[in-house]
Amino acid sequence: MRRILTFLVVLAVLVGVGGASWMLLQRAQTQPEPVQTATTVQRDIVDLVVITGSVVPREEVELKPRVAGVITELLVEPGQQVRKGETIAKIKVVANESSVADFQSRVRAAKLAVADAQRQETDLEALSSTGAISSEEVRAARLATKLRKEDHRAAKDGLRAVKEGALRRGTEAANLVISTVDGTVLAVPVKEGSSVVDSNSFNEGTTVATVADMDDLVFIGWVDESDVGRVRPQMPTVLSVGALDDVAVEGVVERIAPKGEERRGVTQFEVRASVEHPEGHTLRAGYSANARVEIQRRDAVLAIPEKLLQFEDEAPFVEVRVGVEPPQFERRAVTLGLSDGVYAEVLDGVAAEDAIKVPIVTAD
């Protein structure tokens, strides 16, 4: 029994040693992974600043009523063309009882004042005919009568305006909303029957319609503080409008805001650029767009993918193959030029035919 046990132990040890030897042999025979290489390319490199924003009219005018009341008639709808001086809406004034009572009292007082002035004028004319008073006093009485009549007329106009909104200002009635510019109606945020508030010193008033010239559009976008110093006025831009596939809209940077605003936790600066209408296409207010501002460019230069670059103390270098079997690589420092974030221009260090090692990226 003891001999059988000894035999089994020896057999187990031999099997273990044999298995380990076989595994080591397999590892020794495993071929190393092939080293990947890439070559330089001839291409254009463009340094761009991309600005996100939208296309909007250069000027939008909000039309507001001059009296408070209820809209009885809307004469326009979005998309309609209007001319300066054209009526947009009509308003029925809802009279304020306190204001009506106040103006009615003014009318009655003014009427009494007119009657009293006329009586005094008649009495003075009678005295003047007898020579008891001078003609100057009569002229003064006549002027007083005219002034009292003017006060009476103003009080009646005020009462009419409070009750009906029909006070005439030149040739326009105060209860009419009139377009102040030529353009396209962009929005009509109210409906017939809606109550509106007039624009005054204490209230900006209810917007009845928004009108803009759709032939004069601009791009408004926001650029990060890291890029705003690279953008200058008069730089050409190319807009990619989301609603217009494969249509390049040209423009020019007009203005860069001198003060930034914090948006989504990042300080950004507003940029405005002119927009040229693309032939055969319609631009609408509010279209989202990206403006590409070209800062620098290099045409047909020697470039390498930035993934081939390695750095030591911030100095770039690459590994160039100098032997095939077995693969051998030589470390070379490179001088870089313009970069677009994917490819970098190579000024010195490698040639067009060089095979460059692709570094193995390891997870930290």
Side-chain angles (χ1 to χ4, degrees):
M1 186 68 177
R2 185 178 298 175
R3 290 181 178 178
I4 295 175
L5 226 97
T6 304
F7 174 76
L8 292 176
V9 171
V10 173
L11 181 61
V13 171
L14 291 175
V15 170
V17 172
S21 300
W22 181 82
M23 292 179 62
L24 290 174
L25 182 61
Q26 290 296 318
R27 288 184 180 179
Q29 293 178 350
T30 302
Q31 296 295 329
E33 293 184 6
V35 178
Q36 294 184 345
T37 61
T39 59
T40 58
V41 294
Q42 200 87 7
R43 60 174 288 128
D44 299 339
I45 297 181
V46 183
D47 181 16
L48 295 174
V49 172
V50 180
I51 305 173
T52 301
S54 58
V55 177
V56 298
R58 186 180 296 275
E59 296 291 342
E60 289 187 20
V61 178
E62 295 183 346
L63 303 179
K64 300 178 182 292
R66 290 172 291 178
V67 293
V70 176
I71 294 181
T72 58
E73 189 175 2
L74 278 173
L75 304 176
V76 297
E77 59 183 17
Q80 183 175 333
Q81 297 290 323
V82 295
R83 305 290 296 177
K84 182 178 180 179
E86 186 175 340
T87 300
I88 300 297
K90 296 180 180 179
I91 298 174
K92 178 182 179 181
V93 176
V94 178
N96 183 291
E97 296 299 330
S98 175
S99 298
V100 171
D102 180 53
F103 274 98
Q104 286 177 336
S105 176
R106 293 184 190 183
V107 170
R108 289 193 294 268
K111 184 177 181 180
L112 292 174
V114 170
D116 182 63
Q118 289 176 332
R119 181 185 58 78
Q120 291 186 25
E121 180 184 347
T122 301
D123 292 345
L124 291 176
E125 286 178 346
L127 291 174
S128 177
S129 64
T130 62
I133 61 173
S134 66
S135 60
E136 290 295 328
E137 293 183 76
V138 175
R139 281 196 293 270
R142 290 172 180 170
L143 176 60
T145 300
K146 292 180 180 179
L147 292 176
R148 298 298 178 270
K149 288 181 178 180
E150 189 62 32
D151 290 342
H152 185 223
R153 186 179 300 109
K156 290 194 295 183
D157 287 342
L159 178 61
R160 186 182 305 112
V162 169
K163 294 176 66 176
E164 305 173 4
L167 176 62
R168 291 281 174 177
R169 300 181 181 181
T171 58
E172 298 178 358
N175 66 326
L176 300 179
V177 181
I178 306 298
S179 177
T180 57
V181 294
D182 297 339
T184 303
V185 179
L186 300 183
V188 181
V190 296
K191 299 179 180 180
E192 291 185 4
S194 299
S195 297
V196 294
V197 178
D198 61 308
S199 178
N200 52 55
S201 302
F202 307 100
N203 197 313
E204 66 176 9
T206 304
T207 300
V208 176
T210 303
V211 178
D213 182 4
M214 292 300 293
D215 292 329
D216 188 10
L217 300 175
V218 295
F219 168 82
I220 299 294
W222 296 86
V223 62
D224 291 346
E225 57 184 331
S226 59
D227 288 326
V228 68
R230 303 200 295 153
V231 180
R232 297 283 186 273
Q234 303 307 315
M235 280 186 169
T237 65
V238 178
L239 269 62
S240 298
V241 182
L244 304 178
D245 295 335
D246 302 326
V247 177
V249 181
E250 297 182 353
V252 176
V253 175
E254 293 183 343
R255 181 181 65 86
I256 304 170
K259 180 180 178 181
E261 298 182 18
E262 186 171 336
R263 295 164 56 87
R264 298 184 292 274
V266 179
T267 301
Q268 296 183 319
F269 293 79
E270 184 183 88
V271 177
R272 185 182 71 193
S274 63
V275 175
E276 296 184 9
H277 283 262
E279 186 176 353
H281 298 275
T282 300
L283 289 177
R284 301 182 185 276
Y287 271 170
S288 60
N290 290 329
R292 302 191 303 276
V293 183
E294 183 178 299
I295 307 301
Q296 300 180 67
R297 72 175 297 125
R298 301 283 189 274
D299 294 329
V301 296
L302 190 67
I304 62 172
E306 290 199 353
K307 67 179 182 179
L308 303 181
L309 295 173
Q310 303 182 62
F311 294 87
E312 182 176 349
D313 296 331
E314 298 185 359
F317 69 91
V318 294
E319 293 183 74
V320 179
R321 188 171 62 190
V322 293
V324 179
E325 291 295 342
Q328 296 180 358
F329 292 89
E330 177 184 76
R331 175 171 167 171
R332 293 184 188 175
V334 292
T335 303
L336 303 178
L338 189 63
S339 170
D340 61 6
V342 179
Y343 285 87
E345 178 187 8
V346 180
L347 302 177
D348 187 34
V350 294
E353 66 277 3
D354 289 340
I356 303 171
K357 179 181 178 180
V358 178
I360 299 176
V361 179
T362 58
D364 295 337

